[in-house]
Amino acid sequence: MKILITTVCILFTCACVGQQLSYRPKNPNFGGGDTFMYQQLLASANAQNSFTDPSAEDRDRTELEEFAANLNRQILGQLSRSLFTSQLGEGLEEGSFSFGSLSLEIFDSAEGLVINILDTNTGEQTQIIVPN
């Protein structure tokens, strides 16, 4: 009898096949699901968001405000052009120049015309390279 039970156990053990079971949730709201369903999560988050950015409010300008802003931009542009023309002449020449708190250094290099701009108040520096 022991031999029969042992034989039956061996036969059933050989015939058993196992596989790995894995759970994959379908709903992305429960921490899983397809990653391409982010639109659903974003829409859900935006629907629940009660905060608004006050600086992002689009305010329609009147025609008078638009005209004033445009005129201001044109006057400042013409003023900066005349200032550059008086300081630098008609073109950019090598040398060091200062405009208030800005210090410009212009020189020629293998890469092209290099313009270093330094704000003496804050120490911020910018470099512009105009290729040959």
Side-chain angles (χ1 to χ4, degrees):
M1 183 78 170
K2 289 183 180 180
I3 295 176
L4 181 64
I5 294 175
T6 308
T7 308
V8 171
C9 288
I10 290 174
L11 288 177
F12 281 122
T13 307
C14 294
C16 294
V17 177
Q19 69 181 23
Q20 182 179 356
L21 297 177
S22 61
Y23 170 72
R24 183 173 179 205
K26 299 293 181 189
N27 189 346
N29 292 323
F30 295 119
D34 197 0
T35 57
F36 294 111
M37 295 193 55
Y38 66 91
Q39 295 98 346
Q40 179 183 355
L41 291 173
L42 183 62
S44 176
N46 284 336
Q48 297 173 25
N49 186 7
S50 63
F51 298 105
T52 57
D53 186 8
S55 64
E57 293 179 8
D58 290 333
R59 186 174 76 88
D60 292 332
R61 289 183 171 180
T62 64
E63 289 183 23
L64 184 61
E65 289 174 334
E66 283 291 329
F67 178 74
N70 191 14
L71 185 63
N72 190 21
R73 278 192 298 273
Q74 287 182 3
I75 289 173
L76 289 175
Q78 190 174 15
L79 182 64
S80 66
R81 261 191 311 277
S82 66
L83 183 63
F84 261 71
T85 303
S86 69
Q87 288 285 329
L88 301 175
E90 289 300 317
L92 294 175
E93 299 173 1
E94 292 185 18
S96 296
F97 306 95
S98 62
F99 301 102
S101 66
L102 294 179
S103 174
L104 270 72
E105 181 184 3
I106 302 172
F107 60 92
D108 215 2
S109 72
E111 296 174 343
L113 188 65
V114 178
I115 305 168
N116 288 328
I117 304 170
L118 172 67
D119 187 352
T120 56
N121 289 341
T122 62
E124 293 181 30
Q125 190 171 9
T126 302
Q127 185 177 55
I128 301 171
I129 300 174
V130 181
N132 291 337

